[in-house]
């Protein structure tokens, strides 16, 4: 992962080049042979891999089609092109997500970003004081790109705990909420994606201190955590912090509804928005 202070676009470009090279070689293709399957030259393929030319969206879609991929390269393009509109303290986290084996999320205020619909995300970003429309749209677009992690051949195991109040907080109105809760029901695919509800009857919980996520990385990488506050967030791989959040997540998990009861609760609240 990139060290603090590194250019996130450059790091994402390096990762893009590594992935393209790995997938290309995995299919037994030279740069010349890959280029023959694209509306691009061999030099264009080589320039991307040698960090001489940034991949565009059109180039990436063509390469993914030729290599039979499904978002593994495209998820990096917004960062490469500098279109993330994410604050500096958050830019590390999307790269953590793309390398994660397991992601555990707790959210006491909003639907987690990886589960949001475009309309719901739009309303969330419109709530930022002084936000410009162009910036909002780019932020929404990047959030939708992040959801490509679920389209990987080996998606992360994603376990979300959501406070029941989040389901009942009307972000964008009844129609937006109905579609949003419908999406959650659609993406539930145990064991890859699970969502459980912490009921209001649980009272004041350890989760009231704020939202957080914990990611266990592939191939024995160092675990990372993302902590959120009202003004900013923080990405850390400090072992003591990560372990403390895992313990907090387990405590919240112990008071959450089981998966079936959570699904019923989501469905009931969704029906109330009809």
């Amino acid at each position: 992962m990139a060290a603090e202070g590194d250019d996130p676009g450059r790091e994402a470009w390096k990762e893009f080049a590594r992935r393209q090279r790995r997938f290309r070689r995995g299919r037994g293709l030279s740069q010349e042979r890959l280029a023959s399957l694209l509306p691009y030259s061999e030099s264009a393929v080589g320039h991307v891999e040698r960090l001489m030319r940034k991949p565009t969206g059109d180039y990436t879609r063509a390469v993914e089609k030729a290599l039979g991929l499904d978002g593994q390269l495209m998820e990096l393009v917004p960062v490469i092109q500098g279109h993330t509109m994410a604050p500096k303290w958050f830019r590390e986290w999307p790269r953590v997500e793309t390398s994660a084996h397991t992601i555990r999320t707790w959210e006491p205020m909003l639907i987690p970003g990886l589960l949001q619909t475009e309309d719901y995300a739009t309303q969330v970003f419109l709530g930022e004081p002084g936000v410009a429309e162009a910036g909002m749209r780019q932020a929404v677009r990047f959030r939708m790109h992040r959801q490509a992690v679920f389209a990987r051949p080996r998606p992360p195991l994603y376990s979300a705990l959501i406070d029941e109040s989040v389901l009942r907080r009307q972000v964008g109105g009844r129609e937006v909420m109905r579609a949003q809760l419908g999406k959650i029901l659609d993406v539930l695919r145990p064991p890859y994606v699970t969502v459980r509800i912490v009921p209001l009857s649980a009272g004041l919980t350890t989760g009231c201190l704020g939202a957080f996520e914990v990611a266990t990385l592939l191939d024995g990488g160092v675990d990372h955590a993302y902590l959120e506050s009202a003004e900013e967030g923080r990405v850390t791989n400090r072992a003591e912090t990560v372990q403390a959040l895992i313990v907090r997540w387990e405590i919240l998990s112990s008071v959450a509804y089981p998966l079936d009861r959570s699904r019923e609760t989501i469905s009931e609240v969704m029906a109330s928005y009809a």
Side-chain angles (χ1 to χ4, degrees):
M1 304 307 298
E4 185 175 355
D6 285 350
D7 176 6
R10 182 78 175 180
E11 292 302 311
W13 187 3
K14 290 179 182 178
E15 178 63 20
F16 187 105
R18 284 191 290 266
R19 292 187 191 184
Q20 176 178 294
R21 188 179 301 111
R22 183 174 75 250
F23 288 126
R24 172 176 61 76
R25 291 175 176 173
R27 285 156 179 74
L29 299 176
S30 64
Q31 290 181 355
E32 179 181 13
R33 178 58 181 152
L34 175 57
S36 72
L37 304 175
L38 307 173
Y40 295 90
S41 65
E42 178 184 354
S43 63
V45 174
H47 285 170
V48 169
E49 293 189 5
R50 292 193 296 274
L51 304 183
M52 298 171 63
R53 172 179 174 175
K54 291 184 178 181
T56 64
D58 288 342
Y59 171 89
T60 303
R61 280 184 284 272
V63 170
E64 289 206 337
K65 182 177 180 180
L67 296 178
L69 304 180
D70 189 13
Q72 296 93 322
L73 297 178
M74 184 59 72
E75 66 188 7
L76 297 170
V77 172
V79 185
I80 295 170
Q81 299 296 336
H83 294 159
T84 68
M85 298 304 294
K88 183 177 181 180
W89 47 261
F90 184 76
R91 291 172 187 167
E92 178 73 7
W93 189 249
R95 297 199 297 276
V96 171
E97 289 174 334
T98 64
S99 303
H101 172 270
T102 302
I103 301 173
R104 282 173 279 192
T105 298
W106 158 247
E107 181 52 73
M109 295 296 293
L110 297 168
I111 301 297
L114 289 181
L115 301 178
Q116 290 179 6
T117 64
E118 185 171 345
D119 287 341
Y120 187 97
T122 297
Q123 294 300 316
V124 170
F125 285 113
L126 283 174
E128 291 290 333
V131 66
E133 183 174 354
M136 176 274 293
R137 293 192 182 282
Q138 287 183 341
V140 171
R141 191 177 307 119
F142 179 58
R143 178 155 293 180
M144 297 301 102
H145 273 294
R146 283 175 53 208
Q147 297 179 7
V149 296
F150 294 133
R152 292 184 344 213
R154 293 174 57 196
L157 301 176
Y158 181 81
S159 297
L161 300 175
I162 303 176
D163 193 85
E164 184 179 350
S165 64
V166 174
L167 308 182
R168 303 183 185 280
R169 180 173 294 109
Q170 288 195 36
V171 175
R174 303 174 72 86
E175 185 175 342
V176 170
M177 288 302 301
R178 181 173 175 81
Q180 175 60 78
L181 299 187
K183 175 174 180 174
I184 294 177
L185 294 175
D186 288 342
V187 300
L188 284 179
R189 291 180 295 131
Y192 291 107
V193 179
T194 61
V195 176
R196 291 189 296 134
I197 305 303
V198 174
L200 293 173
S201 60
L204 187 66
T205 70
T206 182
C208 292
L209 296 175
F212 63 86
E213 295 187 72
V214 177
T216 300
L217 303 193
L218 295 165
D219 303 321
V222 178
D223 293 351
H224 282 62
Y226 168 67
L227 301 85
E228 191 170 276
S229 67
E231 291 299 322
E232 62 178 24
R234 176 165 63 98
V235 177
T236 180
N237 60 7
R238 186 172 177 269
E240 293 86 350
T241 302
V242 173
Q243 187 57 42
L245 290 174
I246 290 175
V247 171
R248 187 178 298 179
W249 194 92
E250 293 294 343
I251 292 172
L252 288 162
S253 179
S254 71
V255 299
Y257 285 145
L259 183 59
D260 288 348
R261 176 70 184 278
S262 295
R263 192 192 303 267
E264 291 174 3
T265 300
I266 295 169
S267 297
E268 289 170 0
V269 177
M270 177 181 168
S272 73
Y273 290 127

